[in-house]
Amino acid sequence: MSAILLFLGVLTSIGLQFTAVQSVGVCYGSDGNNLPTKQDAINLYKSNNIGKIRIYNPDEATLKALRGSNIEVIIGVPNTNLQSLASNAAAASDWVNKYIKPYSSDVKFKYVAVGNEVPPGGAEASHVLPALQNVQKAISAANLQAQIKVSTAIDTTLIENSYPPNNAVFTGTAKPYIQPIITFLKSNGAPLLANVYPYFAYTNNLQSITLQYALFTQQGNNEVGYQNLFDALLDSLYAALEKTGAPDLKIVVSESGWPSQGGTGATVENASTYYKNLIKHAKGGTPKKPSGPIETYLFAMFDENLKQGAETERHFGLFRPDKSPKYQLSFN
Ligand SMILES: *[C@@H]1O[C@H](CO)[C@@H](O)[C@H](O)[C@H]1NC(C)=O
């Protein structure tokens, strides 16, 4: 009897632990005029057991809908706010007091993403580190520094020589930008956020990259030991970090996705293969960092019909605007 109870107890705790280490979340962009309400969108996260979300701005209707949900949150500081938060510590403290503090008791903030894909070298880039510092001070003043880590989301244009992945380095323009940010992240125990898109690497190099390598369907390793492009891209970032003296800095994949329409390889079938395999793959690690899981945020929840840019940009949704799923994905 007691042995059975003990066994059930063990099963229960394994179950709980499994829920707690769910490694895949979904980015919630809302650049569309036909999308569900914020509350309906968050309900869709809940009904699909999606336990992590990335939002791009501190939208209060979304934050209210997240209250009590147990969903872990990356909250973004939009690039347009960087200058103000960088130049004025009071603005950063107002931001935290308005959007973080009133929700922090029942919204599980995990990271603040201060800026997204800021191009190094420009005026905007000069605001990122001071904005990170001011937001960090405000988070610490609210005594939330243990729970909420402050970081920024980069893209893979910051690296070059990325094949073989071990040869990768930050570009000459990126290095002076990212080096002090890396020092900042290390000293606060925060990860680097990185948006990693095998789709774009594949479509920009069709002559040298196969679809199978991009979709995790290649059999066996290639000549430099890689079975898929996602691992190769992620490890090239790790290799570049190593060379800046940060071999132990963790990378969180803050976006990754595949469009269903509008460009080469962009079909529902290919995208379905990508997302299914990525969810499975994120449970493990990469050749350089074999101990997983890889914390990964799929891009994105919905097709966003008002997004600018290439046609593919409007077809990254896991769900259609009417909330019907494009793919059969399981987040359990
Ligand atoms: C996937 O993309 C490739 C490359 O564009 C295309 O030839 C193929 O038909 C697509 N496969 C599916 C199943 O849609």
Side-chain angles (χ1 to χ4, degrees):
M1 175 70 178
S2 63
I4 289 171
L5 282 179
L6 183 65
F7 179 66
L8 288 175
V10 169
L11 277 186
T12 309
S13 61
I14 289 170
L16 289 174
Q17 213 176 347
F18 184 72
T19 308
V21 299
Q22 184 187 48
S23 57
V24 174
V26 179
C27 301
Y28 175 30
S30 49
D31 198 359
N33 60 11
N34 56 358
L35 296 179
T37 64
K38 305 296 159 74
Q39 183 65 59
D40 284 351
I42 299 307
N43 289 345
L44 195 57
Y45 274 76
K46 293 179 187 168
S47 60
N48 283 279
N49 297 308
I50 303 169
K52 293 175 193 288
I53 189 171
R54 178 180 181 192
I55 58 177
Y56 291 87
N57 51 59
D59 175 73
E60 296 191 81
T62 308
L63 293 174
K64 283 189 186 126
L66 283 166
R67 279 194 190 280
S69 67
N70 226 27
I71 296 174
E72 292 184 331
V73 180
I74 303 181
I75 183 169
V77 171
N79 293 0
T80 47
N81 293 158
L82 291 174
Q83 180 165 20
S84 133
L85 299 199
S87 55
N88 186 348
S93 123
D94 287 349
W95 195 93
V96 168
N97 287 337
K98 182 159 184 208
Y99 300 120
I100 303 285
K101 251 177 116 172
Y103 300 95
S104 65
S105 65
D106 57 0
V107 174
K108 284 179 111 179
F109 295 113
K110 195 169 185 198
Y111 309 120
V112 183
V114 179
N116 183 48
E117 299 189 351
V118 175
E124 214 169 50
S126 67
H127 304 313
V128 174
L129 181 63
L132 282 167
Q133 289 164 331
N134 283 341
V135 172
Q136 179 68 49
K137 270 181 226 144
I139 289 285
S140 298
N143 201 28
L144 294 168
Q145 71 280 6
Q147 181 203 331
I148 307 174
K149 298 298 175 185
V150 181
S151 187
T152 188
I154 65 164
D155 62 37
T156 50
T157 63
L158 270 62
I159 50 172
E160 61 187 2
N161 295 346
S162 55
Y163 197 82
N166 259 327
N167 288 0
V169 289
F170 285 106
T171 65
T173 314
K175 210 175 291 168
Y177 164 70
I178 202 71
Q179 181 79 67
I181 290 175
I182 289 166
T183 306
F184 167 90
L185 297 175
K186 272 168 70 177
S187 68
N188 291 296
L192 178 64
L193 310 180
N195 301 343
V196 176
Y197 283 92
Y199 176 75
F200 294 116
Y202 161 67
T203 53
N204 289 330
N205 298 278
L206 290 171
Q207 67 295 349
S208 47
I209 296 178
T210 66
L211 183 68
Q212 288 70 29
Y213 189 56
L215 292 180
F216 301 92
T217 53
Q218 176 179 293
Q219 300 299 309
N221 288 344
N222 66 10
E223 68 283 1
V224 296
Y226 281 81
Q227 199 170 13
N228 64 77
L229 182 53
F230 178 86
D231 278 353
L233 288 171
L234 192 47
D235 276 358
S236 66
L237 284 166
Y238 275 119
L241 283 178
E242 242 168 45
K243 289 169 198 140
T244 66
D248 298 324
L249 194 67
K250 176 186 159 175
I251 296 172
V252 169
V253 177
S254 44
E255 286 182 11
S256 190
W258 194 284
S260 60
Q261 197 180 313
T264 308
T267 65
V268 170
E269 289 80 0
N270 284 339
S272 171
T273 302
Y274 182 75
Y275 287 113
K276 278 185 184 149
N277 286 336
L278 177 56
I279 290 170
K280 222 183 297 165
H281 186 73
K283 293 188 166 90
T286 67
K288 268 182 99 66
K289 300 278 179 184
S291 68
I294 305 165
E295 189 176 342
T296 302
Y297 294 77
L298 308 185
F299 191 87
M301 196 63 176
F302 300 108
D303 282 341
E304 296 171 75
N305 66 354
L306 297 181
K307 269 204 108 183
Q308 302 290 306
E311 184 59 27
T312 48
E313 292 291 324
R314 291 175 285 284
H315 301 282
F316 273 92
L318 304 183
F319 293 85
R320 302 186 189 91
D322 67 1
K323 299 189 282 183
S324 62
K326 232 190 261 172
Y327 316 110
Q328 297 304 316
L329 303 177
S330 169
F331 290 90
N332 289 319

